[in-house]
Amino acid sequence: MVLYTTPFPSSCLSALHTVSWALIFPCYWLLDRLLALFIPDPCQKYQLLCIVLFTPIYLGFLVTSLPFAFLGFLVWLPLQSARRPYVYSRLEDKGPAGGAALLSEWKGTGPSKSFCFATANVCLLPDSLARLNNVFNTQARAKEIGQRIRNGASRPQIKIYIDSPTNTSISAASFSSLVSPQGSDGMARAIPGSIKRTASVEYKGNGGRHPSDEAANGPASSDPADCSSLEHACIVRISGDEGGRLPEADDPATGGQARNGAGGGPRGQTPNHSQRDGDSGSLGSPSASRESLVKAKAGLDGGSGDPGATYSKAPHKASVVKKAAARKRRHPDEAFDHEISAFFPANLDFLCLQEVFDKRAATKLKDQLHGYFEYILYDVGVYGCQGCYGCQSCCCCCQGRCSFKCLNSGLFFASRYPIMDVAYHCYTNGKGTDGLASKGALFLKVQVGSTLQDQRIVGYITCTHLHALEDDSAVRCEQLDMLQDWLADFRKSTSSSSTANPEELVAFDIVCGDLNFDNCSSDDKLEQQHSLFTRYKDPCRLGPGEEKPWAIGTLLDTDGLNDEDVSTPDNLQNKSPGACQKGRKDVLKGNGRRIDYMLYAEEGLCPDWKAEVEEFSFVTQLSGLTDHLPVAMRLMVSTGEEEA
């Protein structure tokens, strides 16, 4: 399948669209600023004065721009019938973390393979609408969100082993943010074993891999000292026969997550990852969880380097903090680890976002995430009254009625692995204000490996955003029905395999996104019992209306987003579950409304292969930037050969 790198099939149409939007944009921007003036902003001290001063100015320019906007609209509207439903962007990475290199790491035999997925509603609306959710400055937030995700995901996955007479087991493969050393080029380096430290903490590359590390991350590299691949976890071994002290830190009492050395680039950055604003210091930006970050100093000769030394004099600077897995909990009957994490998981492979409605914000977000993800789809959706232009298959024309779409779907997808096929469908039953956006489902087929017989190993990912109005359960159930039908058609149309001649092996099938209903509210009983949950498994759910005890709500209370006790990743992480989540009028069981889902299929995969959750995480790294908690899941795909 050919992926669309431009929104229009010809340069002439693209030029016409650019001109028409240039005529419309001043009116759009002025109207947005005018409406934003009348929505309270807690950070603005003189809002009344601003209203008095700027209202007549905005109104005057708005009236002046209306004739130009009308002319641009007459050109823009018919162009939408020829517009493609998404834009594909690839920033080629030929390094060891690039998509082409990743494909050669797994052949579908031997050790298992893990894949990490995350989904988040980031509320990147026009400013006037975003303010209704108590979040502000959409353009700046888009850049900050991209920085935090990129820096959180580019950390190494750390495995911690405890050597003691009574316990030699591994702490579960963690979303920990312990940072392995870097060279001056920003790439990972293995620390020679001769380096002395104040405690028995040993970083190992692939040469010191533990058997379970082999199983989780594939065969060892041919270079035993190579720890530069993001796919390979670095190991921290803590011996029980020594003092047990962690390396000296500036403030051990406030340990939490780790911090990159201030003088170098973020740990685990890909060759695409250039130094950008907000990359130094804390992971992501000055506002990203400063309270949880501590520095450790390690010199070349004994770990007692001069605090004023430059990074070039100490290229093996490391960061060590208290174990991030302290927040992890495992229920006695649970087969996987779960946690509330202040950072996005390390080695994140796939990212699905919702409510990336603003096109300028989407571009800023794309530019930031290309520092880690090679493949990105953005500006997904349709605009205008496409049903009025004779498109019989158009999903925006419902029962002969023309539905005008002002906003796109808000869906956004980023991947480290190559994208093979894409399909988008718009829900046909949108109502009210929700009907003004082309909410729908984005279906993707990605290649994650190939066998020795040149069979492709693929995975399916579906990203969606359902109807938002609380009382419209029937609308959401109808959309879930559409979702299942479209997904079945997508798999059938993109499959090049047959039972007799399997050209492809399916490793996973994921459905994720903002479904706008929870599993506890009595008003959502209809959605809770939908057949989607028989086909796909929810790691947080025991059954209809019953959550697992560790699951928490992902919809935050917008009134308290800027409160000090939840405005940083650490503070939100330490908040008692459910205390800052938004509830409903009826009695709500559990710890808040969990409306952001990550589902996976156990059936429909390659025969004898099995997908199991390895870790599940609620992420607080975007605190203060959105009114939702992102969720992440690490999925382990086991082959039949390994089980035998």
Side-chain angles (χ1 to χ4, degrees):
M1 177 181 180
V2 177
L3 301 177
Y4 305 132
T5 57
T6 59
F8 290 94
S10 71
S11 56
C12 179
L13 293 178
S14 296
L16 282 174
H17 181 266
T18 300
V19 172
S20 65
W21 185 247
L23 294 172
I24 295 172
F25 181 76
C27 181
Y28 161 81
W29 185 85
L30 288 164
L31 180 61
D32 183 43
R33 300 315 306 162
L34 181 62
L35 295 176
L37 280 177
F38 296 91
I39 301 174
D41 181 353
C43 299
Q44 197 172 63
K45 297 181 180 179
Y46 308 105
Q47 184 165 6
L48 182 59
L49 180 61
C50 290
I51 292 175
V52 173
L53 289 178
F54 290 105
T55 297
I57 297 175
Y58 286 149
L59 275 176
F61 282 110
L62 181 62
V63 172
T64 304
S65 67
L66 281 174
F68 300 97
F70 181 72
L71 179 62
F73 183 76
L74 293 179
V75 178
W76 175 88
L77 187 59
L79 287 175
Q80 303 314 304
S81 61
R83 185 186 179 276
R84 292 161 170 169
Y86 62 84
V87 179
Y88 168 72
S89 175
R90 180 186 180 189
L91 187 61
E92 188 173 2
D93 180 0
K94 296 182 179 180
L102 291 175
L103 290 182
S104 63
E105 291 187 359
W106 190 42
K107 300 299 181 182
T109 59
S112 300
K113 178 74 171 178
S114 65
F115 301 95
C116 191
F117 309 83
T119 181
N121 182 317
V122 291
C123 199
L124 292 177
L125 292 152
D127 277 339
S128 56
L129 300 179
R131 288 191 178 206
L132 297 175
N133 291 331
N134 206 18
V135 288
F136 307 90
N137 200 339
T138 295
Q139 306 307 315
R141 281 193 301 113
K143 183 177 180 180
E144 178 73 9
I145 287 170
Q147 287 175 354
R148 293 197 190 183
I149 295 175
R150 185 190 72 223
N151 286 281
S154 62
R155 298 171 294 108
Q157 182 185 356
I158 301 297
K159 296 179 182 294
I160 302 177
Y161 296 90
I162 309 296
D163 291 338
S164 72
T166 58
N167 181 10
T168 57
S169 63
I170 179 176
S171 169
S174 80
F175 292 1
S176 168
S177 58
L178 288 170
V179 181
S180 71
Q182 306 181 92
S184 58
D185 60 354
M187 299 302 291
R189 295 287 183 267
I191 292 185
S194 60
I195 292 180
K196 298 178 182 179
R197 298 187 179 276
T198 56
S200 180
V201 178
E202 181 181 359
Y203 289 90
K204 292 193 177 183
N206 295 332
R209 295 168 68 92
H210 188 277
S212 63
D213 188 38
E214 289 275 351
N217 298 284
S221 169
S222 58
D223 179 4
D226 179 19
C227 192
S228 60
S229 174
L230 289 177
E231 183 61 25
H232 294 142
C234 292
I235 299 172
V236 178
R237 186 177 297 278
I238 304 177
S239 297
D241 56 351
E242 298 187 19
R245 293 176 53 222
L246 289 175
E248 181 182 351
D250 289 351
D251 184 9
T254 61
Q257 308 288 350
R259 172 177 179 172
N260 291 334
R267 163 66 184 93
Q269 63 189 26
T270 68
N272 291 331
H273 189 158
S274 58
Q275 182 77 5
R276 302 173 190 243
D277 294 340
D279 281 1
S280 60
S282 64
L283 283 172
S285 71
S287 60
S289 189
R290 291 185 180 276
E291 293 80 5
S292 69
L293 308 177
V294 294
K295 286 196 299 182
K297 297 180 284 293
L300 286 174
D301 296 322
S304 58
D306 179 9
T310 62
Y311 186 76
S312 61
K313 293 181 181 179
H316 297 303
K317 181 177 292 187
S319 298
V320 180
V321 296
K322 75 177 183 180
K323 191 170 71 172
R327 295 285 295 178
K328 279 193 171 73
R329 300 290 185 269
R330 174 173 286 183
H331 192 272
D333 298 328
E334 200 68 83
F336 58 89
D337 286 297
H338 46 83
E339 68 173 338
I340 303 173
S341 173
F343 294 96
F344 274 86
N347 299 343
L348 180 61
D349 296 308
F350 306 100
L351 176 68
C352 299
L353 301 178
Q354 301 85 48
E355 291 199 8
V356 187
F357 288 118
D358 188 275
K359 295 171 70 171
R360 291 186 298 150
T363 301
K364 289 180 172 63
L365 184 63
K366 169 186 71 73
D367 292 342
Q368 290 295 325
L369 291 177
H370 258 322
Y372 179 80
F373 294 101
E374 184 173 346
Y375 310 90
I376 289 179
L377 289 177
Y378 67 104
D379 197 13
V380 179
V382 293
Y383 299 88
C385 301
Q386 295 194 19
C388 296
Y389 296 97
C391 181
Q392 301 299 321
S393 62
C394 177
C395 52
C396 286
C397 187
C398 180
Q399 298 177 351
R401 291 183 292 107
C402 181
S403 177
F404 185 82
K405 303 298 181 183
C406 298
L407 299 171
N408 61 23
S409 70
L411 300 176
F412 183 105
F413 178 76
S415 170
R416 294 173 62 207
Y417 289 89
I419 300 171
M420 297 179 63
D421 291 284
V422 180
Y424 160 78
H425 292 278
C426 177
Y427 293 125
T428 61
N429 61 346
K431 294 173 56 179
T433 55
D434 239 35
L436 296 176
S438 56
K439 284 187 174 181
L442 181 65
F443 303 94
L444 303 114
K445 179 182 177 182
V446 295
Q447 183 176 359
V448 295
S450 59
T451 68
L452 297 174
Q453 294 76 32
D454 290 329
Q455 293 173 299
R456 291 187 296 267
I457 305 176
V458 301
Y460 288 92
I461 303 173
T462 301
C463 179
T464 189
H465 190 187
L466 299 188
H467 188 70
L469 302 182
E470 291 185 354
D471 297 330
D472 290 334
S473 291
V475 173
R476 281 186 289 274
C477 284
E478 193 175 340
Q479 291 178 347
L480 290 175
D481 291 338
M482 296 181 202
L483 176 72
Q484 291 192 100
D485 292 340
W486 291 334
L487 179 54
D489 291 341
F490 179 70
R491 289 199 58 168
K492 183 178 180 180
S493 64
T494 60
S495 176
S496 59
S497 300
S498 64
T499 305
N501 183 28
E503 297 179 6
E504 296 177 341
L505 305 178
V506 179
F508 56 79
D509 186 357
I510 302 292
V511 174
C512 63
D514 180 357
L515 303 189
N516 273 312
F517 65 86
D518 61 69
N519 192 41
C520 293
S521 300
S522 59
D523 287 348
D524 293 335
K525 284 185 176 180
L526 201 59
E527 299 98 312
Q528 295 163 11
Q529 299 172 1
H530 195 273
S531 60
L532 177 73
F533 295 102
T534 61
R535 173 74 174 83
Y536 291 86
K537 190 170 182 179
D538 182 356
C540 301
R541 162 182 163 129
L542 288 173
E546 188 176 5
E547 294 278 81
K548 293 183 178 179
W550 50 265
I552 64 172
T554 59
L555 181 61
L556 303 178
D557 183 3
T558 55
D559 293 335
L561 286 181
N562 298 306
D563 293 349
E564 185 177 354
D565 57 345
V566 297
S567 60
T568 67
D570 274 347
N571 289 350
L572 184 56
Q573 180 192 31
N574 295 326
K575 192 76 172 176
S576 59
C580 54
Q581 276 80 21
K582 187 174 182 179
R584 294 184 66 164
K585 297 177 182 178
D586 57 326
V587 178
L588 184 72
K589 299 181 293 182
N591 297 314
R593 296 198 68 205
R594 184 177 62 87
I595 66 174
D596 298 273
Y597 289 77
M598 184 73 70
L599 313 178
Y600 69 100
E602 294 182 311
E603 300 177 354
L605 309 181
C606 176
D608 299 325
W609 287 19
K610 183 165 63 172
E612 296 178 309
V613 177
E614 187 179 12
E615 295 186 0
F616 195 93
S617 177
F618 297 92
V619 181
T620 64
Q621 193 170 6
L622 300 186
S623 63
L625 300 177
T626 180
D627 58 342
H628 286 244
L629 279 182
V631 295
M633 178 178 70
R634 197 178 299 277
L635 196 70
M636 177 71 73
V637 179
S638 304
T639 66
E641 288 187 12
E642 183 183 43
E643 292 177 356

